[in-house]
Amino acid sequence: MLPPLGRLISQHPWPFLLVALALVLSSAYYGADAMQRLHPAPGWEIRGSDSDRARQVLRERFGRDETAVVLLLRAQPGLAPDVEAPAFRHAVEGLVARLTRLPEVRAVETYYDSADARMRNAAGDMTYALVWLERGQDEGVGAYRRLRDQLVSDQLDIRVGGELATYVDMRTVLEREVPRVERLSALMLIPLLIWVFGSVVAALLPLVIGIFTVVIGTALLKAFGQLTEVSIYTTHVVSMLGLGLAIDYGLFILARYREELARGNPQPVVTTLRTAGRTVAFGGLTVAASVLALFLLPQRFFHNMALAGSVAVGVAMLTATLVLPALLAVLGERVNRLAVPLILRRHAEREAKRRWYAFSHFVMRHAVVVLLVTAASLLVLGTPLAHLTLGPADHKSLPADSESRQVMALLAREFPQARLVPLVVTVHTHGEARQDPALSGLYALARQIEAMPEVDRVVGLTRLDPSLSLEDYRLMYRFPADFPLAAAALEMFVRDDVSLMFVHYLPPPNSDAARALAQRIRALPLPVGIERLHVAGFPADQVDYMRALRAGVPWVITAIVGVVFVLLFLMLGSVVLPFKAVVANLLSLSATFGALVWIFQDGHLADWLGFTPQGQMDGTVMVLIFATAFSLAIDYEVFLLSRVKEASRSTRDNSEAVALGIQRSGPIITSAALLIGLVLASFATAQAVFMKATAMGLLISVVVDATVVRMLLVPATLRLLGRWNWWAPRPLMVIYWALNRDERRRPPS
């Protein structure tokens, strides 16, 4: 397929270029507001899980969410800094009156109507209010913005926190950071590209297709966002992966094209697509198929990452194999125009190739030692994995100057007893919750939960006041018109046969003890009158999240390994080399993950990199890095082994074929690693920890893979395996030759 495509592009390049130009211009116009059109929430919830069922009850039956917007309230100059002062109270009540007129505001709770001492700090100069919003289809972003418009006071200093505020602040950070790191990447890439290619024209071509990839990929995200929920977190994946891969693939294509030009090949585009184009196609398919394996996990976050990754890879592959060859067909020899002084550089290139050739022979002469030392070194680098702790991200993922992060830090310091992230228990009863036997069951259930040592207090229909007995509650709910407290409780906690309980606990929300508490509540024997219960809230979400990862990740790994094995066999005609590639990549990733744990979980380099350690690794980041880094490593594997295979067709000496393959691919792989590493390093400067950790993980993986693994571990194993490198069972070879008929007819390179 690729040789006919190469001939078509060589003969008619302009239609390809005009279509590409029209597509990128229309994509730039359409995708200009993509950030505003994408979903603000990451999508970590697991559909159908216990916490998700509780959340559905909250939204569908009670019209609210389990977490509120938190308003931190302090006096401005001129107002007495005393929450008990009449003027302070009057200012707060005036603010609440404005907020409750908003149709999306379901309820507002303050210190003054709850009389809860936990809602004022010890100094008495600060309080907070809880605002429950109806989130709607946009996850409450519109309601939140209208709420923010009303948070104006000449007496109160009002600052906003909570889960929804964190999402919106993260959107703001991404809207600011993604364009910044894209510009930084481009500015840093230009001089390096000029050095790699020695020509301004050649240097600009990979950057052009990189820009094409990002623009078209962003527009596609917006288009998919019209059909399903696509998170704003996907934008940095398209930018980072799309730009990096487009430049990598462009480098492979362009380097081979210039090599064919130097040979005097009359059809350089055809040969380039047949060789480097085939490598890029297989590499791109491998990366895309690997990230699509993330669809095996239940979280929408991973589905979004799979979508973004496959979009980025697919567009990068198409621009590199369609647009770039068309540009090369138009430019011809002019691709080397605007050359920088090349005398020293050409001498350096010749010396580099000789060094790669000599180095590969040195590695193969000491293959056993190199193999053992390299594998042992990678395993040692991976030792921090022994104390890996996984969990979801929290507000500390935001930059230190983000308002929502500052509010959550202030609340933790000034209101240590606030318990702002309770466990939410939705209880389904037999019959109406306000009547027996349901009411008796709720009373017994609340007492069971209160008896747990980690529980601070339970708030619900039968826990309004510790001094009230079950008989008191029966009387109150039989005549709610005579008891205002009972009427308010029924409105707050009951919808027919469903009742709410809020469980405030003592351990930190992200602790093992809090997660164990959520599991014990779920496992409680249900009293008479109770049909079932569901538990939501941060610790319960973590339990479901980790359970989903433990169940789904082995299938993801199996799928990725299977895809890599099949595609590498179809590319190389060997079952030994795919197995070797999988083992080498797993060793490389152990070192990568060990470094990530050492940096982000343990906090080493935190000051230098500018983030706050959370004491755990975001599991979503780890899974995303595994899928992406594993498949990226195959890109370099495919490029190296394809050149080794080409060399093996002209020599029967295995060591010589490996040395020639490394001599031809070593400089290109090193340059590709430098280029994509520069892109990843740019994204590692982002203030959002999610972006920083993802970029750093991929950067470490690329560096380790392109140096230690690809230039030490791989040549050593190729030397030791010898003729077994290209072995495959005869039935599989029949399939291989059927799909690669032109391989037999091709003359030696």
Side-chain angles (χ1 to χ4, degrees), residues 11 54 119 139 141 166 182 251 305 313 322 327 362 367 406 445 468 524 546 564 590 620 641 657 678 714 740:
Q11 296 165 6
M119 297 185 74
E139 279 299 300
V141 173
T166 299
E182 287 175 352
L251 174 63
M305 293 300 108
V313 176
L322 296 177
L327 286 168
F362 170 81
Q406 292 176 347
L445 179 63
L468 295 176
L524 282 172
M546 294 304 301
V564 166
S590 72
T620 53
L641 293 179
L678 198 58
V714 171
N740 296 272

Side-chain angles (χ1 to χ4, degrees), residues 30 75 83 132 141 178 252 257 271 297 379 397 401 418 448 537 542 600 605 613 641 658 697 707 747:
Y30 174 74
V83 299
W132 279 275
V141 173
V178 171
F252 294 158
Y257 177 79
T271 303
L297 294 169
L379 289 173
S397 298
D401 60 353
Q448 281 181 283
Q542 281 192 310
F600 287 95
L605 309 181
L641 293 179
V658 173
T707 54

